[in-house]
Amino acid sequence: MRALAPRRWPLALRVPLLITLLMIGIAGAISKLVLVRLEATQATHFEELSGAYLDGLSTALLPAMIRRDPWEAFDALDRSRARYRGVGALRVLVVLPDGTVLAASDPVRHPLGAAAPSEAGPAPLHLAPGAATAWIHRAVSEGGMPVGRIAAEVDVTALATERRATLLALVGVNAALTVLFAILGWLLVRRMLRPVLRLSERLGRAAEGRLDPIPEAELPAADTEAGRAFRRYNAAAAAIAEREALLTRLAEEERRALVGRYASAMAHEVNNPLGGLFNAVRMIQRHGDDPERRQRAASLLERGLTGIHNIVRASLILWRGESDARPVSAADIDDLRLLIESEARRRELVLDWQQGIEGSFPAPAQAVRQIALNLLLNACAASPPGGRVTVRAGVAAGTLTLVVADEGPGLPGHARRLLLDGREEQVPQAGGLGLWTVARLVRELDASVHLAGPPGSHVTIRIPDAERSANLPAAA
């Protein structure tokens, strides 16, 4: 039913239909005005004609009416019949003041002395619509004394025929004009809507991802509304095409930048444990005969290679929502000392190492190792030659506390904000990748960070026991 609503009809149909309705209304009003004017003109002409007829007839009948001589009246009526044939009188009655007939054009129907019919009584002239006859009257007097009246029934079918012919002519002409204007309106509207339909078709293609410009040869004149609309469409199409090309180029550049940053992050995370792994290899080369050292180095190699393997699988772990479920143990922290010793000896640093983890702690071992290793590398890089790097690890009250301190100049402002705020999602383009990794892992482990210094820097990481926190009763 909504599709039948006029407002949903095509404009090429609504405008001609509106023109047709307007033409019908105008034609009806004009026809009514013409017919009313015609009726008034006919009434005036009929009144003038009947007045002239009654004037002549009353002059001829006056002597007979004064003497009440019916034969003289009949003779006057006979003479007037031929003289006033054009009036179309059907019957004429000469009526005395007492209402009796003195003479009539049809004496059989209205005999002498009979009472005059009611329709022949005195009444104003009235031409009823559609009536075939009308009665006209004239009172006759002499010296101010009434001597009678004349009543005549006149044929008015010619007037009705004229009105009918005029009405048919008006209807025919108005109908022809209405149809003509409706067709012209339809053609003109379709011609005017042609540019709109073309634009609509072009815009419809835009929904399919194709916004093609209109060729210059098909554009209307620039000083027309359609020409301006088409040129604005072409300008929009060109702007959108340029924007899409720019977005494609930016997306490609962003993809390359992401690949570069990801490769940098991967290289950073893989290179971190390599120094310790080389130390383990050298330990085996130098002290391979010592079973204890050989086993210790082999264990370090195994855990280091496992860590590199986990780093390489980081993207799959991220997408699958997996994590390193193995809890952190004392060996994981002690391995870091072997990994960092090469860097510490190269920079002539003193390692103050104390760890008090007994057994294991329910926190992802790989994440904790990455946090500690990155903090250690940052501390070694910031410490002056001969400086001291302090490491403390322990568990108390269901919380793993990791402390890394150095004697360097202290963390710069952006590094402090990164560790404390932890909201910087963008991978740093140059430098700070280790601290960015620490901030990300701290946020994932729901851990807290406390900073002290300068002088030096003192970083404390507190990692809660997630299982214990989940089992604690809610506060009342």
Side-chain angles (χ1 to χ4, degrees):
M1 294 300 291
R2 295 181 60 189
L4 298 178
R7 64 180 181 178
R8 296 183 176 271
W9 294 353
L11 194 60
L13 176 63
R14 283 186 288 164
V15 172
L17 182 60
L18 180 60
I19 293 175
T20 302
L21 294 177
L22 290 175
M23 286 296 299
I24 291 175
I26 294 172
I30 293 176
S31 299
K32 180 66 175 177
L33 181 62
V34 170
L35 289 177
V36 170
R37 185 62 180 171
L38 177 62
E39 290 178 0
T41 302
Q42 286 180 333
T44 301
H45 289 170
F46 181 74
E47 186 176 356
E48 292 175 353
L49 180 62
S50 61
Y53 169 67
L54 291 174
D55 286 343
L57 194 59
S58 61
T59 302
L61 289 170
L62 180 59
M65 295 176 69
I66 292 174
R67 292 189 291 269
R68 298 191 178 187
D69 184 351
W71 306 112
E72 186 179 358
F74 278 120
D75 183 58
L77 288 177
D78 288 338
R79 289 195 305 269
S80 66
R81 183 180 295 113
R83 184 179 302 171
Y84 299 106
R85 190 182 303 276
V87 176
L90 300 177
R91 51 179 170 162
V92 181
L93 282 72
V94 181
V95 184
L96 296 175
D98 60 359
T100 60
V101 177
L102 175 64
S105 60
D106 187 0
V108 176
R109 187 175 180 185
H110 303 286
L112 180 65
S118 60
E119 59 268 20
L125 176 62
H126 177 64
L127 294 176
T133 62
W135 283 89
I136 58 177
H137 307 270
R138 172 62 60 84
V140 182
S141 61
E142 176 64 25
M145 296 296 294
V147 295
R149 56 189 176 83
I150 302 171
E153 184 181 15
V154 183
D155 183 7
V156 294
T157 55
L159 301 180
T161 302
E162 184 181 5
R163 288 197 299 270
R164 189 179 304 108
T166 303
L167 177 61
L168 291 177
L170 288 172
V171 170
V173 172
N174 289 330
L177 290 175
T178 300
V179 173
L180 176 62
F181 280 116
I183 294 174
L184 290 176
W186 180 74
L187 293 176
L188 289 175
V189 170
R190 280 188 60 85
R191 182 181 180 86
M192 290 187 293
L193 286 180
R194 193 175 302 161
V196 178
L197 296 177
R198 289 180 62 190
L199 278 180
S200 177
E201 181 183 357
R202 294 277 181 171
L203 292 174
R205 296 178 188 174
E208 302 172 0
R210 296 182 302 154
L211 194 62
D212 303 326
I214 301 173
E216 188 69 26
E218 300 180 12
L219 294 178
D223 57 349
T224 62
E225 294 180 351
R228 289 192 292 270
F230 276 47
R231 283 166 175 79
R232 288 169 183 168
Y233 167 83
N234 279 353
I240 292 175
E242 183 179 356
R243 178 171 172 267
E244 289 180 352
L246 178 61
L247 289 176
T248 301
R249 187 166 62 252
L250 289 177
E252 179 64 21
E253 293 177 358
E254 181 66 17
R255 185 188 67 81
R256 293 177 180 177
L258 286 175
V259 170
R261 287 197 290 269
Y262 179 74
S264 175
M266 289 289 293
H268 182 277
E269 294 300 323
V270 171
N271 281 330
N272 282 343
L274 284 181
L277 295 180
F278 282 123
N279 285 341
V281 170
R282 284 192 290 271
M283 182 183 295
I284 293 176
Q285 291 173 343
R286 296 174 183 175
H287 308 286
D289 296 337
D290 187 342
E292 181 179 353
R293 290 189 176 185
R294 186 175 62 248
Q295 181 60 35
R296 186 177 178 184
S299 178
L300 175 60
L301 284 172
E302 181 181 4
R303 283 192 291 272
L305 292 174
T306 300
I308 294 175
H309 172 69
N310 290 337
I311 292 171
V312 172
R313 291 179 62 247
S315 58
L316 292 178
I317 292 174
L318 176 64
W319 282 107
R320 295 174 184 174
E322 300 173 358
S323 61
D324 185 0
R326 184 176 62 84
V328 63
S329 63
D332 292 312
I333 302 299
D334 289 335
D335 284 348
L336 297 178
R337 183 169 186 173
L338 295 176
L339 294 175
I340 206 68
E341 277 183 348
S342 175
E343 180 69 12
R345 283 197 301 270
R346 186 179 68 83
R347 299 183 63 86
E348 300 178 358
L349 301 176
V350 177
L351 291 178
D352 183 2
W353 198 281
Q354 295 183 16
Q355 74 89 11
I357 300 177
E358 297 181 359
S360 62
F361 180 80
Q366 181 64 23
V368 174
R369 283 165 58 90
Q370 279 189 277
I371 291 174
L373 181 58
N374 280 292
L375 290 177
L376 280 170
L377 291 173
N378 188 75
C380 291
S383 296
R388 178 183 297 273
V389 174
T390 302
V391 178
R392 300 285 186 270
V395 176
T399 300
L400 171 61
T401 301
L402 182 65
V403 178
V404 177
D406 61 65
E407 297 177 351
L411 292 172
H414 72 275
R416 297 176 66 89
R417 288 191 299 272
L418 177 62
L419 289 175
L420 292 174
D421 192 7
R423 296 178 184 174
E424 185 176 343
E425 298 291 343
Q426 183 74 20
V427 179
Q429 304 234 355
L433 189 61
L435 291 181
W436 177 86
T437 302
V438 171
R440 177 178 61 82
L441 293 174
V442 164
R443 187 168 60 253
E444 291 177 0
L445 296 177
D446 197 21
S448 62
V449 180
H450 177 73
L451 302 179
S457 64
H458 191 101
V459 182
T460 302
I461 308 292
R462 292 186 175 87
I463 303 173
D465 182 346
E467 296 180 359
R468 180 179 179 185
S469 300
N471 293 328
L472 289 176

PDB file of all heavy atoms in Angstrom, residues 16-36:
ATOM      1  N   PRO A  16       2.957  15.829 -14.615  1.00  0.00           N
ATOM      2  CA  PRO A  16       1.863  15.861 -15.590  1.00  0.00           C
ATOM      3  C   PRO A  16       0.493  15.658 -14.948  1.00  0.00           C
ATOM      4  O   PRO A  16      -0.497  16.273 -15.373  1.00  0.00           O
ATOM      5  CB  PRO A  16       2.209  14.714 -16.552  1.00  0.00           C
ATOM      6  CG  PRO A  16       3.676  14.551 -16.433  1.00  0.00           C
ATOM      7  CD  PRO A  16       3.984  14.846 -15.005  1.00  0.00           C
ATOM      8  N   LEU A  17       0.424  14.802 -13.936  1.00  0.00           N
ATOM      9  CA  LEU A  17      -0.853  14.598 -13.256  1.00  0.00           C
ATOM     10  C   LEU A  17      -1.299  15.878 -12.550  1.00  0.00           C
ATOM     11  O   LEU A  17      -2.494  16.235 -12.588  1.00  0.00           O
ATOM     12  CB  LEU A  17      -0.720  13.450 -12.252  1.00  0.00           C
ATOM     13  CG  LEU A  17      -2.000  13.086 -11.490  1.00  0.00           C
ATOM     14  CD1 LEU A  17      -3.099  12.659 -12.454  1.00  0.00           C
ATOM     15  CD2 LEU A  17      -1.720  11.971 -10.487  1.00  0.00           C
ATOM     16  N   LEU A  18      -0.363  16.578 -11.949  1.00  0.00           N
ATOM     17  CA  LEU A  18      -0.702  17.849 -11.305  1.00  0.00           C
ATOM     18  C   LEU A  18      -1.162  18.870 -12.340  1.00  0.00           C
ATOM     19  O   LEU A  18      -2.136  19.607 -12.113  1.00  0.00           O
ATOM     20  CB  LEU A  18       0.523  18.370 -10.542  1.00  0.00           C
ATOM     21  CG  LEU A  18       0.337  19.703  -9.801  1.00  0.00           C
ATOM     22  CD1 LEU A  18      -0.763  19.581  -8.760  1.00  0.00           C
ATOM     23  CD2 LEU A  18       1.648  20.133  -9.149  1.00  0.00           C
ATOM     24  N   ILE A  19      -0.486  18.903 -13.497  1.00  0.00           N
ATOM     25  CA  ILE A  19      -0.914  19.815 -14.568  1.00  0.00           C
ATOM     26  C   ILE A  19      -2.320  19.468 -15.026  1.00  0.00           C
ATOM     27  O   ILE A  19      -3.157  20.352 -15.258  1.00  0.00           O
ATOM     28  CB  ILE A  19       0.088  19.743 -15.740  1.00  0.00           C
ATOM     29  CG1 ILE A  19       1.444  20.310 -15.309  1.00  0.00           C
ATOM     30  CG2 ILE A  19      -0.441  20.502 -16.953  1.00  0.00           C
ATOM     31  CD1 ILE A  19       2.523  20.174 -16.368  1.00  0.00           C
ATOM     32  N   THR A  20      -2.604  18.163 -15.154  1.00  0.00           N
ATOM     33  CA  THR A  20      -3.940  17.735 -15.581  1.00  0.00           C
ATOM     34  C   THR A  20      -4.996  18.180 -14.581  1.00  0.00           C
ATOM     35  O   THR A  20      -6.055  18.699 -14.966  1.00  0.00           O
ATOM     36  CB  THR A  20      -3.959  16.207 -15.739  1.00  0.00           C
ATOM     37  OG1 THR A  20      -2.970  15.824 -16.689  1.00  0.00           O
ATOM     38  CG2 THR A  20      -5.325  15.726 -16.207  1.00  0.00           C
ATOM     39  N   LEU A  21      -4.729  17.987 -13.297  1.00  0.00           N
ATOM     40  CA  LEU A  21      -5.705  18.386 -12.285  1.00  0.00           C
ATOM     41  C   LEU A  21      -5.907  19.905 -12.289  1.00  0.00           C
ATOM     42  O   LEU A  21      -7.040  20.389 -12.153  1.00  0.00           O
ATOM     43  CB  LEU A  21      -5.223  17.918 -10.905  1.00  0.00           C
ATOM     44  CG  LEU A  21      -5.170  16.399 -10.701  1.00  0.00           C
ATOM     45  CD1 LEU A  21      -4.611  16.060  -9.326  1.00  0.00           C
ATOM     46  CD2 LEU A  21      -6.559  15.786 -10.863  1.00  0.00           C
ATOM     47  N   LEU A  22      -4.820  20.655 -12.452  1.00  0.00           N
ATOM     48  CA  LEU A  22      -4.948  22.109 -12.516  1.00  0.00           C
ATOM     49  C   LEU A  22      -5.754  22.537 -13.741  1.00  0.00           C
ATOM     50  O   LEU A  22      -6.607  23.431 -13.664  1.00  0.00           O
ATOM     51  CB  LEU A  22      -3.567  22.755 -12.542  1.00  0.00           C
ATOM     52  CG  LEU A  22      -2.758  22.683 -11.238  1.00  0.00           C
ATOM     53  CD1 LEU A  22      -1.361  23.262 -11.447  1.00  0.00           C
ATOM     54  CD2 LEU A  22      -3.464  23.427 -10.110  1.00  0.00           C
ATOM     55  N   MET A  23      -5.485  21.887 -14.878  1.00  0.00           N
ATOM     56  CA  MET A  23      -6.229  22.222 -16.091  1.00  0.00           C
ATOM     57  C   MET A  23      -7.706  21.886 -15.935  1.00  0.00           C
ATOM     58  O   MET A  23      -8.583  22.646 -16.386  1.00  0.00           O
ATOM     59  CB  MET A  23      -5.637  21.466 -17.280  1.00  0.00           C
ATOM     60  CG  MET A  23      -4.309  22.017 -17.767  1.00  0.00           C
ATOM     61  SD  MET A  23      -4.469  23.703 -18.404  1.00  0.00           S
ATOM     62  CE  MET A  23      -5.622  23.444 -19.746  1.00  0.00           C
ATOM     63  N   ILE A  24      -8.017  20.763 -15.296  1.00  0.00           N
ATOM     64  CA  ILE A  24      -9.428  20.402 -15.077  1.00  0.00           C
ATOM     65  C   ILE A  24     -10.103  21.441 -14.192  1.00  0.00           C
ATOM     66  O   ILE A  24     -11.235  21.870 -14.446  1.00  0.00           O
ATOM     67  CB  ILE A  24      -9.515  18.990 -14.468  1.00  0.00           C
ATOM     68  CG1 ILE A  24      -9.078  17.946 -15.504  1.00  0.00           C
ATOM     69  CG2 ILE A  24     -10.932  18.700 -13.986  1.00  0.00           C
ATOM     70  CD1 ILE A  24      -9.007  16.537 -14.952  1.00  0.00           C
ATOM     71  N   GLY A  25      -9.407  21.854 -13.132  1.00  0.00           N
ATOM     72  CA  GLY A  25      -9.987  22.871 -12.263  1.00  0.00           C
ATOM     73  C   GLY A  25     -10.206  24.192 -12.977  1.00  0.00           C
ATOM     74  O   GLY A  25     -11.262  24.826 -12.860  1.00  0.00           O
ATOM     75  N   ILE A  26      -9.184  24.613 -13.739  1.00  0.00           N
ATOM     76  CA  ILE A  26      -9.310  25.875 -14.478  1.00  0.00           C
ATOM     77  C   ILE A  26     -10.414  25.776 -15.526  1.00  0.00           C
ATOM     78  O   ILE A  26     -11.226  26.702 -15.699  1.00  0.00           O
ATOM     79  CB  ILE A  26      -7.963  26.236 -15.128  1.00  0.00           C
ATOM     80  CG1 ILE A  26      -6.917  26.532 -14.039  1.00  0.00           C
ATOM     81  CG2 ILE A  26      -8.108  27.422 -16.063  1.00  0.00           C
ATOM     82  CD1 ILE A  26      -5.516  26.718 -14.571  1.00  0.00           C
ATOM     83  N   ALA A  27     -10.455  24.636 -16.249  1.00  0.00           N
ATOM     84  CA  ALA A  27     -11.483  24.457 -17.274  1.00  0.00           C
ATOM     85  C   ALA A  27     -12.876  24.465 -16.664  1.00  0.00           C
ATOM     86  O   ALA A  27     -13.816  25.047 -17.224  1.00  0.00           O
ATOM     87  CB  ALA A  27     -11.244  23.142 -18.017  1.00  0.00           C
ATOM     88  N   GLY A  28     -13.039  23.827 -15.520  1.00  0.00           N
ATOM     89  CA  GLY A  28     -14.345  23.835 -14.865  1.00  0.00           C
ATOM     90  C   GLY A  28     -14.772  25.236 -14.465  1.00  0.00           C
ATOM     91  O   GLY A  28     -15.934  25.627 -14.656  1.00  0.00           O
ATOM     92  N   ALA A  29     -13.813  25.998 -13.907  1.00  0.00           N
ATOM     93  CA  ALA A  29     -14.154  27.368 -13.493  1.00  0.00           C
ATOM     94  C   ALA A  29     -14.501  28.241 -14.697  1.00  0.00           C
ATOM     95  O   ALA A  29     -15.478  29.000 -14.676  1.00  0.00           O
ATOM     96  CB  ALA A  29     -12.980  27.962 -12.724  1.00  0.00           C
ATOM     97  N   ILE A  30     -13.710  28.114 -15.782  1.00  0.00           N
ATOM     98  CA  ILE A  30     -13.991  28.915 -16.979  1.00  0.00           C
ATOM     99  C   ILE A  30     -15.326  28.518 -17.598  1.00  0.00           C
ATOM    100  O   ILE A  30     -16.123  29.378 -18.020  1.00  0.00           O
ATOM    101  CB  ILE A  30     -12.839  28.750 -17.992  1.00  0.00           C
ATOM    102  CG1 ILE A  30     -11.554  29.381 -17.427  1.00  0.00           C
ATOM    103  CG2 ILE A  30     -13.197  29.365 -19.328  1.00  0.00           C
ATOM    104  CD1 ILE A  30     -10.348  29.190 -18.309  1.00  0.00           C
ATOM    105  N   SER A  31     -15.596  27.206 -17.660  1.00  0.00           N
ATOM    106  CA  SER A  31     -16.861  26.740 -18.242  1.00  0.00           C
ATOM    107  C   SER A  31     -18.040  27.258 -17.434  1.00  0.00           C
ATOM    108  O   SER A  31     -19.061  27.705 -18.010  1.00  0.00           O
ATOM    109  CB  SER A  31     -16.872  25.214 -18.291  1.00  0.00           C
ATOM    110  OG  SER A  31     -15.818  24.728 -19.092  1.00  0.00           O
ATOM    111  N   LYS A  32     -17.932  27.183 -16.112  1.00  0.00           N
ATOM    112  CA  LYS A  32     -19.012  27.683 -15.276  1.00  0.00           C
ATOM    113  C   LYS A  32     -19.228  29.174 -15.508  1.00  0.00           C
ATOM    114  O   LYS A  32     -20.376  29.646 -15.638  1.00  0.00           O
ATOM    115  CB  LYS A  32     -18.661  27.421 -13.806  1.00  0.00           C
ATOM    116  CG  LYS A  32     -19.720  27.902 -12.823  1.00  0.00           C
ATOM    117  CD  LYS A  32     -21.003  27.111 -12.960  1.00  0.00           C
ATOM    118  CE  LYS A  32     -22.009  27.514 -11.884  1.00  0.00           C
ATOM    119  NZ  LYS A  32     -23.303  26.808 -12.045  1.00  0.00           N
ATOM    120  N   LEU A  33     -18.143  29.934 -15.593  1.00  0.00           N
ATOM    121  CA  LEU A  33     -18.261  31.374 -15.819  1.00  0.00           C
ATOM    122  C   LEU A  33     -18.885  31.670 -17.176  1.00  0.00           C
ATOM    123  O   LEU A  33     -19.766  32.552 -17.301  1.00  0.00           O
ATOM    124  CB  LEU A  33     -16.869  32.008 -15.718  1.00  0.00           C
ATOM    125  CG  LEU A  33     -16.792  33.527 -15.895  1.00  0.00           C
ATOM    126  CD1 LEU A  33     -17.590  34.217 -14.798  1.00  0.00           C
ATOM    127  CD2 LEU A  33     -15.339  33.990 -15.882  1.00  0.00           C
ATOM    128  N   VAL A  34     -18.478  30.928 -18.204  1.00  0.00           N
ATOM    129  CA  VAL A  34     -19.026  31.138 -19.547  1.00  0.00           C
ATOM    130  C   VAL A  34     -20.514  30.819 -19.586  1.00  0.00           C
ATOM    131  O   VAL A  34     -21.327  31.564 -20.167  1.00  0.00           O
ATOM    132  CB  VAL A  34     -18.247  30.307 -20.581  1.00  0.00           C
ATOM    133  CG1 VAL A  34     -18.960  30.320 -21.935  1.00  0.00           C
ATOM    134  CG2 VAL A  34     -16.831  30.841 -20.736  1.00  0.00           C
ATOM    135  N   LEU A  35     -20.910  29.709 -18.958  1.00  0.00           N
ATOM    136  CA  LEU A  35     -22.320  29.308 -18.974  1.00  0.00           C
ATOM    137  C   LEU A  35     -23.176  30.307 -18.196  1.00  0.00           C
ATOM    138  O   LEU A  35     -24.291  30.641 -18.624  1.00  0.00           O
ATOM    139  CB  LEU A  35     -22.459  27.906 -18.384  1.00  0.00           C
ATOM    140  CG  LEU A  35     -21.901  26.765 -19.252  1.00  0.00           C
ATOM    141  CD1 LEU A  35     -22.039  25.436 -18.522  1.00  0.00           C
ATOM    142  CD2 LEU A  35     -22.620  26.703 -20.600  1.00  0.00           C
ATOM    143  N   VAL A  36     -22.687  30.763 -17.053  1.00  0.00           N
ATOM    144  CA  VAL A  36     -23.453  31.760 -16.288  1.00  0.00           C
ATOM    145  C   VAL A  36     -23.609  33.038 -17.101  1.00  0.00           C
ATOM    146  O   VAL A  36     -24.691  33.646 -17.163  1.00  0.00           O
ATOM    147  CB  VAL A  36     -22.747  32.040 -14.940  1.00  0.00           C
ATOM    148  CG1 VAL A  36     -23.374  33.244 -14.249  1.00  0.00           C
ATOM    149  CG2 VAL A  36     -22.847  30.815 -14.042  1.00  0.00           C
TER     150      VAL A  36
END
